[in-house]
Amino acid sequence: MTDLSDDDTHKPAGVSRRGFLRTASLAAGGAALGGAASAQQADPLITEVQDWASMTGEGVDATPYGLPIRFEDDVVRRTVSWLTADPISSINFTPIHALDGTITPQGCAFERHHSGAIELSKDDYRLMITGLVDRPLVFTWEDLQRFPRENHVYFCECAANSGMEWAGAQLNGAQFTHGMIHNMEYSGIPLRLLLEEAGVQAEGQWVFVEGADASSNGRSIPLEKAMDDVLVAFTANGEALRKEHGYPVRLVVPGWEGNMWVKWVRRIGVNHSAVEAREETSKYTDLMPDGRARKWTWEMDTKSVITSPSPQKPITHGSGPLVITGLAWSGRGLIDRVDVSLDGGVNWQPARLGTQGGRYALSRFYLEIDWDGSPMLLQSRAVDENGYVQPTKDALREIRGLNSVYHNNGIQTWAVYENGAVENVEVSS
Amino acid sequence: ALAQTLGLGRAALPEEIAAWDVAVEPDGTGLPVGSGDVFTGEDLWVENCASCHGDFGEGAGAYPVIAGGEDTLTNRRPVKTVGSYWPYLSTVFDYVHRSMPFGNAQILSADDTYAIVAYILYSNAIVEDDFTLSNENFADVVMPNADGFYVDDRVETEFPIFVHDVCMSDCTAPVHITRRATDLQSTPEGAVTVFAPDRPSGVMDGAGAPEGGEGAAPAEAPV
């Protein structure tokens, strides 16, 4: 597995001594990586008594709150330092290449901050409702616990997910091309209930939501959405939000771009119009070929990606049975189907939905094939309940050009080589 | 709408609302009373802002460029600044007042913020160097790209193209590789398990180097 302590910075990416040896062993059939069944001689892991079958393991008092076993230490968030000026207003990436199912473990779920992950206790927390309401209110965290709650699973995808791929294949791994995403089960209050507590006045048509951090991250949301399915959430995957995900309270905006999922939320203002804040003018607006820009591109369009095989998950077992798996999602409703191509989009076959996520949640798909060892150009193509078919990158570029930065939901291609290595590529006929 | 309330929470006091609701809307709603001129703004800028954004808003390191970039929005590499891109002056005031300087936000008074915004306007050649900005004349300033934005039209412009029956066989002519991520070597070291030194032949033959030759680095970081 990848050793994160590898530091061969004087060598080109990916060709460390370790990586070269690994590649060589792959070409030799992968036996050196372990796991290759061999009946030539008896397996000492079976025929000799191992320590763990003789001595004892850890006691139940050793680990009050556990972390993954050390063998999984490559399943971590990663950063791309050249993307941003500093690591404070920046992004990291979920290791989607190494995960399965649909629920993202919080500890490796991606982060995106504009002034860092702040520490805000429940005691210090306040939420204010202001503006065009009958009763401007202040709530404590305790107050919020007394409202009726709902549970929902939703994906949160950064508007910029896959944004570095607009001009061509750039980052070699699903974690980097598609990892600005997580999918969690939230418990929280419908925002509607808090707004009704304050009494929204007739001229209130928008809410402006902002966080307690220095960046504030204020965004305008039309009242219709705010009263529909937006949640004020306290828990994710059963426990309190992680600090980096907005502890103790964040906004959950199903199907909509991650920037609007305001963390450490401290104020909800009811206004007659949109504030047109920095995060909806300078940023999160999408420059089009004519020099004008789309604004308020809230929904995340239908999208999918094969997570394995992928550049960080090469085929190490040689030819024969191969599981192709990935994720699909839509900010506009349910995923209806996912198709997979082995030849760069010429021919397709339907994949199996192992988990068909609910509206605005991740779905997991599988396609089991018998790989003959020849090169492949893997693609996945999601279709949502509206009949919207995930487009190619070229089809998107045809409309949007190369500089829209956000909302890249184009089909991803992985080249699979005979030695099992996988690369991020683009193809054309 | 009269909905059943639970009686939770308490009334927000006026001074609490004033402390937290500092949003300024495009029509000037929310502006505090105050004023500041370009020269005062220049002093404040040099003291608080220039280390990241440059003496003239030209940017330093990878930090955002604040001034310039006129007529670049259709270029291969657009330069999106307050002058070339931002539609409303209200956003400049609000964001600076609320979230800048980076790492030391909310230190600027209303007058400080008016002055810095005046300097940003001057840096973008939108006002002369004797200009004073205040809550009185704020609404008179029209940003160059005020009409540069339109509401999301994907449902009208893209759905007709992308809602269609799915093709399952012989959907395109055979394809070849046109771009490879490994040509750019921009992926973090140690993140990729295997490198593919032997590029296969035959149907997988590429079309050579990526067109443009400058790689696919994003026109701007997603920040």
Side-chain angles (χ1 to χ4, degrees):
Chain A
M1 300 302 272
T2 304
D3 180 351
L4 289 177
S5 67
D6 242 358
D7 189 22
D8 295 322
T9 45
H10 58 286
K11 300 216 178 98
V15 250
S16 63
R17 189 186 61 86
R18 188 184 304 268
F20 177 79
L21 291 175
R22 205 180 285 118
T23 305
S25 70
L26 264 186
L33 290 182
S38 167
Q40 304 304 309
Q41 55 194 33
D43 185 346
L45 282 166
I46 298 170
T47 57
E48 296 173 12
V49 176
Q50 302 297 312
D51 286 351
W52 54 82
S54 169
M55 295 183 256
T56 59
E58 279 184 349
V60 295
D61 54 351
T63 313
Y65 197 113
L67 287 171
I69 196 166
R70 61 189 171 94
F71 311 125
E72 296 297 313
D73 65 359
D74 64 317
V75 186
V76 292
R77 297 186 279 226
R78 288 188 175 87
T79 57
V80 176
S81 57
W82 56 261
L83 271 180
T84 55
D86 59 61
I88 303 296
S89 181
S90 193
I91 189 87
N92 63 27
F93 301 85
T94 304
I96 57 169
H97 63 288
L99 304 178
D100 209 330
T102 58
I103 296 295
T104 311
Q106 288 182 83
C108 63
F110 88 103
E111 303 168 68
R112 201 287 186 241
H113 316 302
H114 293 77
S115 51
I118 61 168
E119 185 175 85
L120 178 57
S121 73
K122 291 172 181 174
D123 286 346
D124 290 341
Y125 180 78
R126 299 290 183 272
L127 177 65
M128 191 184 292
I129 315 266
T130 66
L132 299 171
V133 293
D134 296 333
R135 297 172 295 279
L137 293 171
V138 173
F139 299 108
T140 62
W141 187 84
E142 283 290 350
D143 292 333
L144 297 180
Q145 301 313 297
R146 300 168 67 189
F147 281 88
R149 274 171 240 163
E150 294 181 4
N151 299 308
H152 298 277
V153 177
Y154 294 125
F155 74 81
C156 174
E157 184 186 16
C158 180
N161 199 24
S162 315
M164 293 82 74
E165 305 295 306
W166 267 118
Q170 169 150 290
L171 288 164
N172 207 31
Q175 178 170 16
F176 303 106
T177 58
H178 291 75
M180 298 183 194
I181 193 166
H182 56 61
N183 191 67
M184 302 182 189
E185 182 201 42
Y186 295 96
S187 300
I189 312 166
L191 176 56
R192 173 177 50 83
L193 297 184
L194 299 182
L195 291 171
E196 286 174 350
E197 201 69 15
V200 176
Q201 296 172 350
E203 59 271 36
Q205 292 302 307
W206 292 76
V207 297
F208 183 67
V209 186
E210 56 187 22
D213 61 317
S215 83
S216 181
N217 201 60
R219 285 293 306 250
S220 303
I221 300 175
L223 188 70
E224 185 184 9
K225 177 72 171 178
M227 299 295 270
D228 178 14
D229 57 5
V230 174
L231 292 177
V232 175
F234 330 109
T235 77
N237 297 347
E239 63 181 351
L241 295 165
R242 295 289 171 96
K243 174 179 76 174
E244 62 270 29
H245 298 141
Y247 182 94
V249 182
R250 86 171 304 166
L251 209 66
V252 166
V253 191
W256 289 23
E257 61 188 13
N259 176 257
M260 306 177 82
W261 293 47
V262 177
K263 295 183 290 192
W264 314 291
V265 55
R266 84 172 190 184
R267 187 178 74 91
I268 295 159
V270 179
N271 302 323
H272 58 79
S273 55
V275 168
E276 301 268 14
R278 187 253 195 180
E279 306 297 329
E280 53 197 346
T281 55
S282 170
K283 305 300 176 184
Y284 308 99
T285 53
D286 314 350
L287 189 58
M288 300 290 279
D290 68 356
R292 294 187 306 150
R294 289 173 176 163
K295 67 175 181 179
W296 303 344
T297 45
W298 299 312
E299 293 92 347
M300 299 306 292
D301 278 320
T302 303
K303 189 169 177 179
S304 68
V305 63
I306 291 170
T307 53
S308 179
S310 65
Q312 296 158 281
K313 292 283 283 186
I315 303 170
T316 56
H317 53 57
S319 59
L322 170 69
V323 174
I324 297 170
T325 186
L327 296 165
W329 61 97
S330 172
R332 300 191 193 263
L334 293 169
I335 289 295
D336 199 46
R337 64 184 289 173
V338 180
D339 302 313
V340 169
S341 174
L342 311 181
D343 58 12
V346 181
N347 299 290
W348 297 86
Q349 47 192 312
R352 184 168 56 82
L353 289 184
T355 302
Q356 182 171 27
R359 291 172 70 81
Y360 321 129
L362 292 186
S363 292
R364 166 66 58 176
F365 65 86
Y366 299 99
L367 179 68
E368 294 84 7
I369 68 165
D370 183 8
W371 185 45
D372 65 4
S374 58
M376 295 185 288
L377 292 167
L378 295 180
Q379 295 183 345
S380 64
R381 179 185 69 190
V383 183
D384 73 8
E385 62 179 312
N386 309 298
Y388 174 106
V389 182
Q390 183 185 359
T392 63
K393 292 187 200 173
D394 282 343
L396 287 172
R397 290 171 184 141
E398 188 74 22
I399 299 167
R400 304 187 198 168
L402 294 176
N403 289 319
S404 54
V405 181
Y406 308 106
H407 291 281
N408 183 356
N409 64 314
I411 289 173
Q412 174 66 47
T413 310
W414 303 129
V416 178
Y417 300 117
E418 285 149 313
N419 67 354
V422 184
E423 184 177 7
N424 174 10
V425 300
E426 292 198 13
V427 295
S428 172
S429 55
Chain B
L2 281 177
Q4 188 66 39
T5 62
L6 295 172
L8 292 167
R10 62 156 175 90
L13 303 176
E15 56 267 46
E16 292 175 328
I17 296 172
W20 275 12
D21 183 1
V22 295
V24 183
E25 295 174 44
D27 66 1
T29 300
L31 277 174
V33 174
S35 68
D37 61 64
V38 170
F39 283 114
T40 306
E42 181 178 34
D43 290 343
L44 288 162
W45 179 272
V46 169
E47 187 183 344
N48 295 289
C49 320
S51 61
C52 290
H53 296 296
D55 284 348
F56 308 100
E58 74 277 18
Y63 285 100
V65 180
I66 307 301
E70 309 89 77
D71 303 321
T72 63
L73 297 185
T74 56
N75 291 5
R76 175 63 194 92
R77 302 268 179 212
V79 180
K80 293 151 74 178
T81 73
V82 169
S84 72
Y85 192 66
W86 291 37
Y88 302 112
L89 190 62
S90 55
T91 315
V92 188
F93 187 99
D94 174 296
Y95 184 69
V96 169
H97 190 217
R98 174 199 301 271
S99 298
M100 289 288 135
F102 187 67
N104 197 20
Q106 300 192 73
I107 61 161
L108 299 171
S109 68
D111 286 348
D112 289 346
T113 309
Y114 279 110
I116 286 170
V117 174
Y119 181 71
I120 291 172
L121 288 171
Y122 171 71
S123 300
N124 280 284
I126 295 169
V127 300
E128 301 295 327
D129 65 5
D130 61 353
F131 180 73
T132 299
L133 181 68
S134 72
N135 56 298
E136 302 282 330
N137 68 354
F138 195 92
D140 300 340
V141 181
V142 178
M143 302 300 282
N145 199 40
D147 298 324
F149 297 80
Y150 58 96
V151 175
D152 182 8
D153 65 349
R154 283 175 294 172
V155 171
E156 294 79 35
T157 59
E158 299 187 0
F159 270 46
I161 299 168
F162 300 147
V163 175
H164 56 77
D165 293 337
V166 291
C167 171
M168 296 302 286
S169 54
D170 298 325
C171 302
T172 71
V175 298
H176 57 267
I177 292 174
T178 56
R179 288 178 181 267
R180 303 173 184 272
T182 52
D183 287 338
L184 298 176
Q185 302 197 345
S186 56
T187 308
E189 180 86 21
V192 177
T193 311
V194 173
F195 182 62
D198 304 318
R199 287 181 173 167
S201 55
V203 70
M204 303 280 288
D205 265 348
E211 62 207 70
E214 58 177 321
E220 67 176 86
V223 293

